[in-house]
Every structure is written in structure tokens, then in C-alpha cells.
Amino acid sequence: MSVVAEGFNAFETPNQPSGVVKYLPDPASVMALIRSGKLKEHVLLVRGGTTTFLAPALSMGSTAIITMSGAPESHLGILSREFQTPCVMTAQLVDSESRYVPGETDDSHFEEIVAALDGKTVTIDCSDSTTGRVILQD
């Protein structure tokens, strides 16, 4: 097991859910995952902390969230605390120099994270008060 990404922790929790990362780029992909009956098998990866279309998945018991931008004060940060869903925000790959900068980051940054995480089995560690970690299962 190794830490593959780190970001802001939306809230501190000892829960360490695991699952296969599923990138959800739009509302249709969220609804398809919910309809599949396999929501709880996945750690949800979305582009931003303002991704409001993820709310139905939270209300149906999603296990964990990774965002590629956003802060704990954003929409998903607030909802993750309300639903007690571990959430790593503005995740950055530990082996990459690419970092999210509001208003300056191009799509290649997000594409790199999706390529590294989508389909991989991970554990989310939000036990630290400020830093959330995405741990790749070997």
C-alpha cells in the first residue's frame, strides 16, 4: 500500500473506506452508477468541490469522495460532513509536479489525476485533521 494522492481533508474521521475509484464527469454518470446498484463499491472522483450533481449519490450512501479542486468549505465539503462521507479535496498526485491553481489550471492536470486513479482500488484516510490521503491498494 502506498499513498498515491493527498489533499485537504473535509473532516477528521477514523473511518477508512475502500473501493474502486469511479470518475463521474457529469450528472448522467452519477445516475447510471446509482441505477447500477454498485454505488457502495466505489470511491467517487469528481472534478470540483462545487459538483452539485453528486448530491443524490451522497444521500444514497456513497462511501468516499475525491475532488480534484475545491476546499472543505465548498458544497461537497459541507455535504460530506453532513453525510459523514470521507472526502479528500483538491487531491494532487504525490509523484507529480502538477498542482491545482484556481483560474490557471488546464485540463491536462485533471486528466492526469483521472488516468492515475480511475479504476484503481484505493483506501481513503481522513484521520489527519488537515490532510486526506488516497492509498493505492497493491
Side-chain angles (χ1 to χ4, degrees):
M1 296 191 319
S2 60
V3 175
V4 66
E6 292 183 334
F8 301 118
N9 184 5
F11 71 98
E12 189 175 343
T13 178
N15 297 335
Q16 294 192 348
S18 295
V20 176
V21 175
K22 178 77 171 171
Y23 177 51
L24 301 172
D26 53 39
S29 62
V30 174
M31 297 312 296
L33 179 58
I34 290 170
R35 281 198 265 342
S36 76
K38 297 181 179 185
L39 175 65
K40 294 184 182 198
E41 297 174 18
H42 295 282
V43 170
L44 311 179
L45 175 64
V46 295
R47 186 158 172 160
T50 58
T51 306
T52 57
F53 61 75
L54 197 60
L58 282 156
S59 69
M60 298 190 77
S62 59
T63 59
I65 303 165
I66 303 166
T67 74
M68 295 181 272
S69 65
E73 299 80 15
S74 66
H75 178 73
L76 282 180
I78 293 165
L79 287 180
S80 74
R81 287 189 292 280
E82 288 180 10
F83 287 102
Q84 291 296 290
T85 304
C87 183
V88 178
M89 306 196 77
T90 309
Q92 54 195 27
L93 300 173
V94 296
D95 64 352
S96 174
E97 296 297 318
S98 183
R99 299 293 181 256
Y100 176 74
V101 178
E104 296 179 21
T105 304
D106 65 23
D107 286 343
S108 66
H109 170 78
F110 303 107
E111 292 164 359
E112 179 182 21
I113 294 171
V114 172
L117 297 180
D118 194 32
K120 305 292 191 315
T121 301
V122 300
T123 297
I124 301 299
D125 180 355
C126 290
S127 60
D128 184 84
S129 63
T130 58
T131 303
R133 293 177 176 82
V134 180
I135 302 165
L136 186 63
Q137 300 299 307
D138 296 325

